[in-house]
């Protein structure tokens, strides 16, 4: 079956612009995660959705970052007034349900470059 | 706070040889889960192996096995009969469950398998 997909694969934008990153999880997966991976680092947690609601957004760095999942499937990560420090790979993952042992399946990520 | 440390930024191994990647972690939780993920240049994170802390037996998946030392908070990955396709970044990750089930990653080890 289809895995987690993310679009676009790469996004180049200018400082101050608004961007949206999209994640299509595996069908039927209720749990969805966003992570950010800066160059030379491991992924860092941003936000977790269980169904439509953001159950934990403690990893969002500031109020320029926002994410939604209105129908409990596709999720969009939104970044306002982008800064050069936002440049990173943004990874999305989904799992069948929220449980520690449930494997999180990752998408290929969106590489965001802020000029 | 939970932390994961990978002290080997880069490793190299000859094809068909065995290599061990190190990982240590810090937590006050009594039960938790540990994972090794592989990230090839395609950026897709792939689960290699996982271990539940309450299980004393070390996990094994084909050529991949772990040495889990709970008292020492150590979780190393052994790759036997290394293959060229094993060349990738390897991330150790920790998850204690809680309300989020978020993964906490180390900084990664870049493994190069030489022909």
């Amino acid at each position: 079956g289809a895995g987690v997909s993310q679009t676009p694969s790469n996004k180049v934008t200018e400082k101050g612009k608004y961007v949206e990153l999209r994640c299509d999880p595996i069908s039927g997966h209720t749990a969805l995660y966003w992570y950010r991976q800066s160059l030379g680092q491991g992924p860092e947690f941003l936000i977790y959705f269980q169904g439509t609601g953001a159950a934990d957004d403690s990893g969002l760095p500031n109020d320029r970052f926002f994410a939604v999942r209105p129908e409990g499937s596709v999720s969009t990560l939104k970044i306002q007034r982008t800064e050069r420090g936002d440049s990173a790979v943004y990874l999305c993952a989904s799992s069948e349900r929220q449980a520690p042992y449930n494997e999180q399946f990752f998408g290929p990520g969106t590489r965001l470059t802020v000029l | 706070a939970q932390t994961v440390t990978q002290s080997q930024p880069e490793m190299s191994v000859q094809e068909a040889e065995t290599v061990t990647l190190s990982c240590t972690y810090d937590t006050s939780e009594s039960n938790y889960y540990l994972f090794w993920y592989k990230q090839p240049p395609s950026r897709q994170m792939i689960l290699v192996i996982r271990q539940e802390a309450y299980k004393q037996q070390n996990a094994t998946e084909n050529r991949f096995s772990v040495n889990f030392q709970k008292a020492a908070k150590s979780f190393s990955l052994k790759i036997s009969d290394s293959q060229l396709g094993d060349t990738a970044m390897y991330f150790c990750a920790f998850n204690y469950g809680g309300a989020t089930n978020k993964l906490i990653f180390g900084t990664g080890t870049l493994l190069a398998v030489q022909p």
Side-chain angles (χ1 to χ4, degrees):
Chain A
V4 177
S5 62
Q6 293 185 245
T7 54
S9 177
N10 292 282
K11 175 71 176 179
V12 180
T13 190
E14 294 179 343
K15 180 176 178 294
K17 298 291 188 181
Y18 167 83
V19 297
E20 290 189 351
L21 311 180
R22 176 187 169 107
C23 171
D24 280 87
I26 293 172
S27 178
H29 281 192
T30 58
L32 185 145
Y33 304 81
W34 283 98
Y35 294 87
R36 180 168 72 173
Q37 186 174 19
S38 299
L39 190 64
Q41 300 296 315
E44 293 179 311
F45 170 79
L46 293 177
I47 188 169
Y48 157 66
F49 287 90
Q50 180 58 42
T52 60
D56 182 354
D57 64 358
S58 62
L60 295 178
N62 51 60
D63 61 5
R64 296 186 297 105
F65 288 75
F66 188 71
V68 296
R69 195 187 185 198
E71 298 179 357
S73 178
V74 171
S75 176
T76 304
L77 178 64
K78 307 180 181 192
I79 310 174
Q80 297 177 322
R81 305 183 303 281
T82 51
E83 299 178 357
R84 292 193 179 87
D86 299 335
S87 296
V89 174
Y90 290 82
L91 296 168
C92 176
S94 69
S95 66
E96 286 186 354
R97 63 183 184 274
Q98 182 266 332
Y101 207 67
N102 278 347
E103 180 178 350
Q104 291 186 25
F105 293 84
F106 283 81
T110 293
R111 181 181 299 279
L112 175 66
T113 303
V114 182
L115 301 177
Chain B
Q2 289 82 15
T3 59
V4 177
T5 302
Q6 293 180 251
S7 59
Q8 304 156 315
E10 297 183 22
M11 294 278 286
S12 181
V13 64
Q14 292 296 125
E15 198 174 4
E17 297 294 307
T18 295
V19 64
T20 298
L21 308 183
S22 301
C23 172
T24 58
Y25 58 93
D26 190 23
T27 183
S28 58
E29 301 290 333
S30 58
N31 195 29
Y32 46 86
Y33 305 80
L34 294 161
F35 307 82
W36 278 98
Y37 277 87
K38 170 184 178 181
Q39 187 179 41
S42 67
R43 300 199 303 247
Q44 190 100 33
M45 297 281 278
I46 302 164
L47 179 64
V48 174
I49 197 166
R50 56 191 169 193
Q51 174 85 39
E52 297 175 63
Y54 69 86
K55 288 188 176 180
Q56 293 185 338
Q57 186 173 5
N58 289 324
T60 300
E61 289 285 343
N62 300 313
R63 298 183 294 108
F64 300 88
S65 61
V66 299
N67 183 3
F68 174 48
Q69 302 290 327
K70 190 172 185 178
K73 296 180 180 176
S74 171
F75 182 61
S76 61
L77 174 69
K78 186 171 83 170
I79 305 174
S80 303
D81 186 25
S82 297
Q83 300 175 1
L84 296 177
D86 295 334
T87 293
M89 282 290 290
Y90 286 81
F91 291 97
C92 178
F94 169 96
N95 180 334
Y96 74 93
T100 300
N101 189 30
K102 64 185 177 185
L103 290 166
I104 299 169
F105 288 87
T107 52
T109 296
L110 178 60
L111 176 66
V113 180
Q114 307 291 344

